[in-house]
Amino acid sequence: MNLKDKIAIVTGGSRGIGRAIALKLASLGAKVVVNYRVNAEAAQEVVEAIKAQGGEAIAVQADVRNADDAKRLVQTAQSTYGRLDILVNNAGIHRDNLLVRMSEEDWDAVMDTNLRGTFNCTKAAMRPMMKQRYGRIVNITSVSGLAGNPGQANYSAAKAGLVGFTKAVAKEVGPRKITVNAIAPGYITTDQTAYLPEEWKAKAIEMTPLGRAGSPEDIANAVAFLVSDEAGFVTGVVLRVDGGLVMMG
């Protein structure tokens, strides 16, 4: 796979899965805009890591929940590198609790980042991608959005929303040679899953046929395929990268 001179935005690119995606795309030749909301130091570390391996990258602060910030993020990519080829909507948060204990604030926070953020960034990216008649969009959903997960009604709902969003937008922009796909990770070892009880982690691995937790690099490798020319005839797909944890249709 060769992404030489492709321009990519990775939202939530300062850590975990986003960091791994940014590094992978850069290793294949893409110039990467590493988006972050608050952790400038971590985002800059990703940029320096990309530069150390001979790549090009910049860090851009933007809160994807805000439509104006999303527009500015896309405009910065264009003004810096001249175009935008790839958008990876990775930014996401958890606010886990049983539904009877879940606050409206925790519901709204997860919806705003995980679903509205993807809407804002995708809408902002549409105009340049449609004009150039080329684009690759990958949305990071979750197996929780496919099968549901107790204690994650907000997260599961937002991630399920991304599945429908992905398929609808894929149909809208396919005639403009833009592909829109989603990846549904299973249990992945990141700082976002570090808080989970050890017994839950052990159970997740036990339920995974491949017998291990996934790594951020497992997700990054799948993203790399979906944004490559090799996946030029793949759109509207939700690719599970879960070690077989959720086997559905």
Side-chain angles (χ1 to χ4, degrees):
M1 291 181 288
N2 185 351
L3 300 178
K4 182 174 173 54
D5 295 329
K6 299 295 187 187
I7 312 304
I9 291 175
V10 180
T11 70
S14 66
R15 58 195 177 100
I17 290 173
R19 180 183 190 278
I21 293 169
L23 290 170
K24 180 65 178 183
L25 299 187
S27 75
L28 295 172
K31 300 173 183 178
V32 182
V33 177
V34 179
N35 161 248
Y36 70 97
R37 185 169 68 90
V38 293
N39 198 336
E41 183 178 351
Q44 191 57 40
E45 188 278 327
V46 177
V47 169
E48 295 306 320
I50 289 172
K51 290 180 177 179
Q53 66 181 20
E56 290 188 49
I58 58 171
V60 177
Q61 190 284 329
D63 185 342
V64 299
R65 299 173 299 181
N66 182 284
D68 288 338
D69 270 22
K71 292 175 186 175
R72 177 172 53 81
L73 175 62
V74 169
Q75 288 167 356
T76 301
Q78 290 180 277
S79 63
T80 302
Y81 295 118
R83 57 186 287 129
L84 175 63
D85 302 294
I86 297 164
L87 170 64
V88 182
N89 288 304
N90 167 74
I93 63 170
H94 292 264
R95 294 289 187 272
D96 296 350
N97 213 333
L98 295 175
L99 184 63
V100 294
R101 299 173 183 167
M102 185 175 293
S103 67
E104 290 185 23
E105 290 76 15
D106 284 348
W107 175 273
D108 290 343
V110 170
M111 288 294 174
D112 281 351
T113 298
N114 297 14
L115 193 53
R116 182 187 295 274
T118 295
F119 162 75
N120 285 338
C121 291
T122 303
K123 185 176 180 181
M126 281 294 93
R127 191 174 298 277
M129 287 186 176
M130 291 175 72
K131 185 176 181 179
Q132 67 199 22
R133 299 186 66 84
Y134 179 90
R136 298 282 189 268
I137 299 172
V138 178
N139 302 319
I140 305 301
T141 180
S142 169
V143 294
S144 293
L146 302 178
N149 203 31
Q152 290 190 320
N154 50 1
Y155 186 77
S156 296
K159 293 299 189 179
L162 285 180
V163 172
F165 179 84
T166 296
K167 294 180 178 182
V169 178
K171 290 179 178 179
E172 288 185 17
V173 300
R176 295 298 184 101
K177 314 305 180 188
I178 301 168
T179 67
V180 187
N181 293 290
I183 289 175
Y187 172 49
I188 308 296
T189 303
T190 68
D191 55 355
Q192 284 207 37
T193 58
Y195 75 96
L196 295 169
E198 290 303 318
E199 59 269 21
W200 193 99
K201 298 177 186 178
K203 183 66 174 177
I205 292 173
E206 179 185 336
M207 293 172 62
T208 301
L210 290 185
R212 68 171 177 89
S215 70
E217 288 71 27
D218 288 319
I219 308 304
N221 290 337
V223 171
F225 168 67
L226 289 176
V227 303
S228 71
D229 287 342
E230 284 84 346
F233 200 55
V234 178
T235 196
V237 164
V238 180
L239 175 62
R240 289 181 295 101
V241 184
D242 66 349
L245 177 61
V246 176
M247 293 196 182
M248 299 174 62

